[in-house]
Amino acid sequence: MIKVINLENQENASYYAAIQIIKQLKTQSNSVLGLATGGTMIELYKSLNHLIHVNCIDLSDVKTFNLDEYININSNHEQSYKTYMYNNFIKQNKTFNEENFFIPNGNADDLQTEIERYEKLIKHYGYIDLQILGIGENGHIGFNEPGTAFTSKTHIVNLEASTIEANSRYFNTSEEVPNQAITMGISTILKAKKIILLAFGESKKYALRKLLDGNIEESLPASILNKHSNVEILVDNQALGI
Ligand code: GLP
């Protein structure tokens, strides 16, 4: 079941999401969190880092799995999702154990082995307790592009031209944006006990409207969330078009 909550702006919605994460961590100190990257999440990590600090949350038993990573990007590159996580979350949280930070390795010699390893690792930890998701302008979740099977596990993707274009705002030129990635699969994401999706700004209006019209189709990957039992979608006015 999907519950949509309009918090009017990104700041409020990010704070609300961070509170949900804190509640999860207070209930279960060894939670497995599914984490996301992208512009949408910047404010969320700021609020989360603050709330972890003021609530003295001990993260030493928390495991985190990131949704995705580019293929063939140096892990020290400022736009790799690994670097993003260090800059926005890991460096700020001294109690977090880096050994509990998991992200696909887009530079692995054998990518096939890498995707199988990642999927097995998530399974080993009992899948995700709380998954945070953004949404692509074309309705992708993680890097599961339109047409991806709802049954997919962690896999390699060729990014759509529109995704490369959308992500080029984080690089100097669109030629620099990697054109492949590893992503958690849709079936992997759906095994999460609870999912919180954040969508802000007018550029997400189309995907959000399609997601909320209730038709479940592989041409809009996020539409499968209609089948999950516990999803909250946090939005601002622009994403709702009001
Ligand atoms: C990216 C990521 C997604 C993210 C989405 C939106 O390509 N792979 O995980 O949710 O697209 O990104 P942004 O928040 O920057 O708009």
Side-chain angles (χ1 to χ4, degrees):
M1 203 197 74
I2 292 185
K3 191 169 154 192
V4 182
I5 308 177
N6 177 16
L7 288 135
E8 294 187 3
N9 60 52
Q10 178 166 6
E11 199 185 343
N12 292 345
S14 303
Y15 196 75
Y16 181 95
I19 289 174
Q20 305 308 307
I21 299 174
I22 295 291
K23 279 187 187 161
Q24 171 67 38
L25 298 178
K26 281 188 172 172
T27 313
Q28 193 187 337
S29 61
N30 65 348
S31 291
V32 180
L33 299 179
L35 297 179
T37 52
T40 305
M41 302 298 156
I42 296 278
E43 282 291 322
L44 167 60
Y45 288 114
K46 279 188 195 154
S47 296
L48 181 60
N49 295 337
H50 171 72
L51 289 175
I52 287 170
H53 184 69
V54 297
N55 286 280
C56 301
I57 305 285
D58 179 0
L59 299 173
S60 48
D61 290 331
V62 174
K63 316 274 181 297
T64 67
F65 282 90
N66 267 76
L67 279 168
D68 45 18
E69 177 60 287
Y70 292 116
I71 286 176
N72 271 337
I73 188 171
N74 190 312
S75 61
N76 296 324
H77 189 290
E78 59 171 10
Q79 292 304 334
S80 80
Y81 288 166
K82 189 174 181 185
T83 302
Y84 176 108
M85 291 308 297
Y86 272 91
N87 289 340
N88 291 289
F89 181 68
I90 297 174
K91 275 200 238 161
Q92 283 86 340
N93 290 293
K94 301 286 173 242
T95 65
F96 182 68
N97 181 353
E98 274 185 46
E99 285 178 8
N100 292 334
F101 166 62
F102 302 106
I103 188 162
N105 177 6
N107 291 303
D109 290 337
D110 181 346
L111 292 169
Q112 189 57 39
T113 305
E114 174 59 12
I115 57 177
E116 288 164 14
R117 181 195 73 87
Y118 201 67
E119 184 72 27
K120 274 195 202 131
L121 208 53
I122 300 171
K123 186 176 180 193
H124 171 78
Y125 285 112
Y127 293 98
I128 308 293
D129 292 309
L130 174 58
Q131 176 68 55
I132 305 298
L133 286 182
I135 187 168
E137 292 172 21
N138 61 4
H140 72 226
I141 47 176
F143 264 134
N144 292 285
E145 296 282 34
T148 306
F150 288 149
T151 52
S152 59
K153 296 182 174 177
T154 302
H155 63 286
I156 297 166
V157 285
N158 296 322
L159 302 177
E160 279 206 346
S162 65
T163 299
I164 293 172
E165 184 52 37
N167 287 354
S168 67
R169 68 190 192 276
Y170 302 120
F171 292 79
N172 294 329
T173 60
S174 54
E175 287 74 44
E176 265 188 64
V177 188
N179 52 23
Q180 284 192 308
I182 295 176
T183 183
M184 236 188 240
I186 296 182
S187 79
T188 327
I189 293 170
L190 288 178
K191 289 199 176 79
K193 296 188 182 76
K194 176 171 180 169
I195 297 176
I196 298 179
L197 182 146
L198 289 81
F200 307 130
E202 216 183 322
S203 64
K204 305 296 169 72
K205 198 167 88 179
Y206 164 81
L208 191 63
R209 183 165 49 79
K210 293 277 286 178
L211 160 57
L212 297 178
D213 77 10
N215 291 330
I216 300 174
E217 46 195 49
E218 289 181 349
S219 59
L220 195 94
S223 65
I224 192 64
L225 297 176
N226 285 292
K227 284 237 166 131
H228 192 280
S229 60
N230 192 354
V231 179
E232 275 184 2
I233 300 188
L234 311 181
V235 298
D236 65 1
N237 286 332
Q238 286 80 8
L240 274 187
I242 57 174

